[in-house]
């Protein structure tokens, strides 16, 4: 259990700091299909799925595995998916000053599969878009294209 | 039969009320691939398929399985698919005051597969979009992207 | 042969009339993957494939299997695919006064597969869009999304 | 060899003329997945793949297999893919006065698979868009949707 | 090791020069699914995946395998994916004066799969768009459509 | 309802007789993926799926669509899947004196999907093998191979 | 929690008894893809997947949903997958005296995906075969064929 | 029509003779997925699909395209699928003295799809096995494996 | 690097001992699709893929994640795939006295993809079978069936 | 051209010798999906596809990329597929004294796709089995299973 909630004891700055590089251009960077496992704070049952992150750097880049580590820090807590999605987007925006950032998360919830309604094939998708990902249609569309929303099967 | 039409005796407020959370952001929430089984009111034969729901909260969120339960309440009646789709959208709009809501339903109709024209591979898709899902192209498009329309096989 | 051309003797009004319902909302209704078999009027060889129909009702709805029956009436004649597509769209517009209607048809032509060029994997796609399906980009795009163009394999 | 370059001796008018019909509407007509085999003019090695053609007629239609024959006439020569794509579009525009025409070709090049860089899974996509296919975003998008670009596997 | 970093000793002009043709039209040319293998400069572990290149020529075309060779020159170095993507776009722009160019790269990073976070299914997508690929929505969208982003599995 | 149970009033001999041909060899004939719709005799809810039939003729062949008609005769009754499978096999054995016959049926049961356990993805497979399909391992295996058991998706 | 372990309080005879029919033949009956959710008794984390059951009746048949209910009774306990598989096979053998029975279960274990080794794509398959399913190669092979082992994706 | 029945006027020896090579070993040779188009002799409607041929040579090999030509000779006649399959096997046995030969054909019949029972997804599979393909289980199994029976989609 | 070769310092007994259970039956247990990453001892480049393990217990069972841990211990060394496969099988046989054990491993080798022959889609499969997995055809076949050999895509 | 036929000048011993290791066990080793490009000796047109190799070593192993190099040596000549398959099997048997060896090759022939019969989807499969791969059914079956015959798409 302490493993599943170890996110509470991790320091996001310590996780990120040692892997920030200076960006030479300002193009979109996307990390797709990051596996995410978390615990629903109402039923203490797991929800799990995939997280997709995109951002357009100003002058700093995050090392590729740091994006995945940020997901881990916030997922290893008691969560609801909507908040988890927002927290990841905020953490990236805070860590390296970005032009824009977007996070999409697609999860299956065991509390929904194993209990009550027993809908066994549904999954929930949540998204947070900040900065140019929110304001510019072209950027948001490119992000949606690059992560291939709606095509995952898991 | 009373099981298949049990929706008539369920109270939508009772189904929803105990799982409304305060929203911390106003991003889109989508629940995809909710299995739906209903009875066509003309032939009393089942139609079944998948329902996709999306909404942008104002300041309240619905628990993940509540969306599925709302579908159940209206599906467990004698229905036509067009009305069922509208009712689900209206119920969500009424339950938590949303910025916008969209419902898309894709169903196979046994009355069409087993009888008469005997088109065994067709299915019907109906959609209802309200609020910002209706007025803003970007929002509607994002919803369509996130539910992955036109990709289901069942 | 009389079976294959029975469409000539069918009366479209008689086929439709007994299944028109009053619409309670004006959202898009789509019937996808209607199998269609017709005869090419030049070579008397079959062409076959899938027909997708969408419409936004004003205040009347067509029963789900009636859309398929309309396809049958016009397909069971000597045809060319371009005309068949238009006729179906016109018939729906005439039967129930719609806000807009769209028809897309994807067919393989045996005259092309078995004879002459012998291109065995090609297929022809024709589309007709009327009313709001023609004038409003958002509506046309939503229709294209909901029928999942370009994804059929048959 | 004379078979592989027989396109040089064929007369495009003779190929087309006997299959022009009068159009009753001006909707898009698409012929997808036309197999194409040609010879690269630099290495005399084959390139092959699929060609997709779309056009919006003014008042004349081409018979379905004529579109495939036009592809054959130009493919059965020593070619580069970029030129081949343009020639097909031009030939259709010349044959029947169209509102717009688009040609997309996706090919594997044996000169690239068997020799030198030996990239065995790459393929080249070339496109030519004329008239309303070039000027109107909605038309170009609809064409791209209907041919299902980026989904072919061969 | 000298093989894996042979890119440092290659001259991009020498690689390209002997395969520039005069363009007869100015349509988009796309080379999709170019396999790319490179070494991450931080952990000296491979990253690999697919690179997609598109450009609209002014009056010069690059031979089909030259595009793949340019990828090789820059990939066979110690790299980060973000920089590699930019370098390829710049090299094409410099070699033949284009109207616009776009490069999208989708890679798996063994440093992320084998070590630390051990996210074994994620991959990173980076994109660079220059000229009309950056300025014109229609062009960028067409490029995204033609490379079929978000659909690769590897 | 009378349509759904019309099998009770059909005469199997009348259905078959006019399409028996003399066989020139004794090789296996298989008809795969025959759609079947029936009504479960306990809940009066539909079950539907695919039926696969194989037989080795002695000296008579059945016309291809007759096999499908035999399925219809027995499916259009109140049934249980186990009995339906046996009846089809017996009917073929009786109609034309065969060396062996096998019937495999894969169905989804709405009584199981919509009610009670609500297992929405399960399906039941039943098989009957008679004559050489029962006694000879090689024949049974070839039949299983030719129908591609376990690979259907519906 | 009481829901997740409700299997302890259920009486298998009561679950089964009211749906035993007399069998008219002795052919194999298979129920495939029964969703199963259980709790691993060591970590109290869920494991879930699919269960496939086959049996050859002597003179009694089980109703189709009863097979699924038996799975539920034993899965809704603290379990290990190996024991769960055996218990289901034994329960069927005890309920109706069968000629043979086989159970195959394919599950993902969250204790393995979320913790420790973090192998996120592995799954465990266990099988129990009794009676003729154990002794006769042909029967076991037919069962393996009919459930399509090794082809599930979940 | 004369094109569709041109098989009657072709001489099988003339088609084959000029492409017989001496075999250096006696291993199985398989040609898979040969497209076949024929006309059903009862309804004069097309049936079409795929033909798979395997043989073990004694001391002569057939050129690869000759196998396909033999299929054409017999398919371009009024046929029933059972006879067509046998004729192809016999023709190969006669042309080059083989150790064994097998032919499997999977076809859709338009007479069944467009008329009467209107089963639109069924197809018929016929097989003929001669010599060692008939007598030796191992050989027949290897042939079935190599053609991948039951996996075709068309 | 010390991470990638940490297997040298791990004690297999310590890894396994605390998760051995007493078996209540002697049926096959399979763990499929265990991701494996190792380093080729000749080029120090990674090879990676999937490992499938099956065993029939005598009276002891291994905890599900222990099988994956055993793979890790031997993979995190400089290896060749053939030896790695054998070592895993031997370790399981030694840990719990089994009736039989089988290990199949399917890997891509970067030394083969990035260098020399540059075959980018090949992968190597190695297998070790001991005890009843070696001696009994039925057991080996069942194992091959349950792991679904030849169907992996990675 | 000299590139495409460079196999004539290569020495198989020189290609192999420096990568023979001593085997520690005698289990099957399979290398699947080796891309192969060759030239048909009759039409000088390419044929290409995939080659699968399996062998059971006595006391020597071949380095993983050596198997692919052997394919290259014989493919880069004017060939017929039947002979190419045999030569690869013989070369492996000669290089390291094996217990058994098997080679399966699946190729598309441009001479068949571009010319004459123009069957564009067919491909030829050839196999050679020597030693225990020929004599022992279990070994041959395991090889067929491990290469997943009949499932390739290219």
């Amino acid at each position: 259990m302490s493993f599943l909630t170890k996110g509470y004891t991790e320091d996001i700055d310590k996780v990120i700091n040692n892997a920030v590089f200076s960006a030479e251009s300002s193009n979109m960077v996307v990390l797709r299909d990051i596996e995410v496992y978390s615990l629903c704070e109402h039923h203490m049952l797991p929800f799990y799925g995939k997280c997709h992150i995109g951002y357009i750097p100003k002058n700093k880049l995050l090392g590729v595995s740091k994006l995945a580590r940020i997901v881990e820090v916030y997922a290893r807590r008691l969560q609801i998916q909507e908040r988890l999605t927002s927290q990841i987007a905020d953490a990236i925006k805070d860590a390296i000053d970005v032009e824009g950032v977007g996070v999409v998360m697609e999860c299956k919830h065991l509390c929904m599969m194993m209990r009550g309604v027993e809908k066994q094939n549904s999954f929930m998708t949540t998204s947070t878009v900040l900065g140019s990902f929110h304001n510019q249609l072209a950027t948001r569309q490119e992000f949606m294209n690059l992560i291939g929303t709606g095509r995952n099967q898991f």
Side-chain angles (χ1 to χ4, degrees), chain A residues 43-111:
Chain A
H43 311 88
M44 297 284 287
L45 281 169
F47 65 91
Y48 62 93
K50 302 206 163 169
C51 178
H52 316 293
I53 300 175
Y55 70 98
I56 297 181
K58 279 191 176 155
N59 39 40
K60 284 193 235 152
L61 287 172
L62 274 170
V64 58
S65 58
K66 293 310 165 193
L67 290 170
R69 283 195 186 282
I70 291 172
V71 174
E72 285 290 278
V73 168
Y74 292 104
R76 296 306 195 182
R77 302 179 183 189
L78 299 179
Q79 281 283 14
I80 64 170
Q81 188 180 327
E82 292 89 338
R83 190 201 307 130
L84 176 53
T85 311
S86 297
Q87 287 175 332
I88 294 167
D90 288 339
I92 292 165
K93 202 185 66 175
D94 292 350
I96 53 165
D97 187 31
V98 295
E99 193 189 296
V101 64
V103 177
V104 169
M105 197 176 292
E106 306 175 285
C107 287
K108 289 206 158 186
H109 289 246
L110 279 169
C111 62

Side-chain angles (χ1 to χ4, degrees), chain A residues 2 4 11 40 67 76 80 85 123 133 148-150:
Chain A
S2 63
L4 301 182
D11 176 1
C40 142
L67 290 170
R76 296 306 195 182
I80 64 170
T85 311
F123 48 97
F133 278 60
T149 47

